[in-house]
Amino acid sequence: MFSLLQRGQQVSNQAISALSYIAFAIIALFLAQLHFDNAYNLPSQIANIETSTNIRYSYSAGSTSAKGKENSKIKFDIDTDLSSLFNWNTKQVFVYLTATYPGKSPESSNRVTYWDKIITDPKDAKLSLKSVRGKYSVYDREFSFRERNATLALEWNIQPWIGPLVFGTLEGGQGFSFSKPEKPRK
Amino acid sequence: MTWKGLSIVTNAESPIVVVLTGSMEPAFQRGDLLFLWNRNARNAVGDVVVYNIEGKPIPIVHRVLREHHNDKKQFLLTKGDNNPVDDLGLYKRKQQYLDKDKDIMGTVYGYMPRVGYVTILITENQYFKFGLLGLLALSSLFQRE
């Protein structure tokens, strides 16, 4: 005789193995479609980068002493089309603008986010932004950015309805240099 | 058994977690299941990580906003997509960054919606919990061996 428990177990076992096959198929199709839509080699244009640096003294601006901390902000134009990141399994695209710059030693490196955007509707996937200010005031672990060179790049993350999180970087990265801090107002 | 095995393979104490708050909406909602991986030496900016602050009971799932690393260590600043500010205020007093080795419990690589809501119901809704326990008790009474 089959007990209720055994039957329940059999049903759930069937369900679990069926679900895992379906999940596997969904993931494979999703990744294949992104590949064929050329999602990993999308172009972007980042232009008219203006940077400014000032010294701030609040804890939320990274300052832990009376010396303060250099904070960097940027302004930029962006032109890109992220439509091919949207398919039947895309719940949202998180697109973010990062700057990468070297640290003190050759093994060290830093990457910071200046701006990001959540796109949930494929109609909003074409980005054409003029003179946008970054969302974040960025500081380093060191006191100063020391006018180093940095590379700006647009990166994306697809949040699926189900399955793996997918990441990529758009082509068309741009270099810039951190500006000298402005003299504090007296 | 499977859980322990998965835990060893992923090197994460809990390889599957349930989202409890809305700070990463609309990406993650309450009750969604997240699959974690913790064998990466470093995290990239944009990764969604689960971290635990000493003395705080609930792990937090947020996105990496900045990373600073050298050959030995990596420091991360995180932020919830749906939060207006970064997580500086969530960390310990005077803690400015998360330490990749010490604080990060895992990186999210997979997602399944809603399934984890059962655990929220069990832990937060006593009627559901007792109802479920009652059903189990009844079924054990009525089944024939």
Side-chain angles (χ1 to χ4, degrees):
Chain A
M1 285 297 280
F2 290 109
S3 73
L4 200 65
L5 203 67
Q6 271 175 316
R7 281 186 197 186
Q9 228 160 31
Q10 262 174 359
V11 168
S12 75
N13 277 348
Q14 283 281 339
I16 285 170
S17 49
L19 277 179
S20 56
Y21 290 132
I22 293 170
F24 186 77
I26 286 175
I27 292 165
L29 274 173
F30 177 47
L31 293 179
Q33 186 161 1
L34 283 177
H35 181 76
F36 289 119
D37 286 344
N38 205 22
Y40 298 99
N41 302 304
L42 292 178
S44 72
Q45 260 147 26
I46 308 168
N48 297 330
I49 304 162
E50 286 172 38
T51 76
S52 65
T53 308
N54 60 3
I55 295 172
R56 290 175 61 186
Y57 297 90
S58 68
Y59 185 71
S60 63
S63 169
T64 48
S65 70
K67 198 178 162 199
K69 190 86 140 179
E70 271 190 18
N71 272 241
S72 161
K73 289 185 172 174
I74 64 166
K75 229 168 127 180
F76 52 88
D77 298 351
I78 284 179
D79 248 299
T80 188
D81 184 359
L82 302 173
S83 304
S84 51
L85 300 183
F86 284 88
N87 61 36
W88 50 275
N89 196 25
T90 305
K91 183 181 189 183
Q92 73 161 41
V93 169
F94 184 80
V95 51
Y96 48 109
L97 183 71
T98 61
T100 309
Y101 58 93
K104 269 182 176 156
S105 64
E107 298 87 17
S108 60
S109 176
N110 311 284
R111 184 168 289 178
V112 296
T113 309
Y114 273 107
W115 174 87
D116 56 39
K117 187 177 170 65
I118 297 170
I119 306 172
T120 50
D121 190 334
K123 282 183 219 129
D124 303 330
K126 266 203 178 107
L127 293 178
S128 185
L129 308 169
K130 293 271 173 290
S131 310
V132 179
R133 278 173 211 279
K135 275 168 73 177
Y136 306 110
S137 174
V138 174
Y139 54 87
D140 189 59
R141 280 176 57 76
E142 293 174 45
F143 164 71
S144 170
F145 288 102
R146 295 185 274 118
E147 292 159 62
R148 267 169 287 187
N149 292 324
T151 312
L152 272 183
L154 269 176
E155 303 184 46
W156 52 263
N157 162 230
I158 297 175
Q159 166 64 36
W161 288 107
I162 186 166
L165 275 69
V166 189
F167 293 87
T169 306
L170 296 169
E171 280 169 13
Q174 284 291 322
F176 77 97
S177 312
F178 291 105
S179 61
K180 244 191 190 140
E182 293 156 18
K183 287 240 168 71
R185 271 171 281 171
K186 290 275 160 70
Chain B
M1 185 59 205
T2 325
W3 182 256
K4 276 275 170 244
L6 208 59
S7 184
I8 288 165
V9 171
T10 60
N11 196 26
E13 203 182 304
S14 45
I16 301 174
V17 296
V18 177
V19 178
L20 295 175
T21 68
S23 62
M24 282 296 282
E25 279 192 37
F28 306 143
Q29 272 118 8
R30 258 165 75 84
D32 293 346
L33 276 192
L34 303 176
F35 297 84
L36 305 187
W37 182 253
N38 200 25
R39 291 206 175 270
N40 47 358
R42 280 178 201 144
N43 274 116
V45 169
D47 278 356
V48 182
V49 295
V50 179
Y51 67 89
N52 200 5
I53 298 294
E54 239 182 85
K56 300 218 171 159
I58 301 170
I60 298 172
V61 186
H62 279 176
R63 196 183 292 275
V64 175
L65 191 68
R66 297 178 205 162
E67 67 94 359
H68 306 277
H69 72 259
N70 58 25
D71 46 348
K72 290 188 198 76
K73 276 190 149 240
Q74 186 181 33
F75 295 97
L76 306 167
L77 181 70
T78 51
K79 177 180 174 290
D81 288 0
N82 198 24
N83 290 350
V85 292
D86 61 44
D87 290 351
L88 201 58
L90 296 178
Y91 302 161
K92 267 185 300 184
R93 247 177 82 80
K94 294 192 175 168
Q95 180 183 10
Q96 285 189 294
Y97 293 93
L98 296 174
D99 183 323
K100 165 69 178 155
D101 297 328
K102 265 193 359 216
D103 301 321
I104 303 296
M105 298 169 68
T107 306
V108 179
Y109 71 91
Y111 170 84
M112 196 184 278
R114 292 284 146 190
V115 187
Y117 213 85
V118 185
T119 64
I120 293 183
L121 279 179
I122 291 172
T123 50
E124 291 179 10
N125 187 328
Q126 53 172 338
Y127 297 110
F128 185 83
K129 183 162 83 182
F130 291 129
L132 202 72
L133 283 175
L135 261 175
L136 281 176
L138 275 179
S139 78
S140 68
L141 276 180
F142 285 110
Q143 73 184 346
R144 274 185 288 176
E145 287 304 322

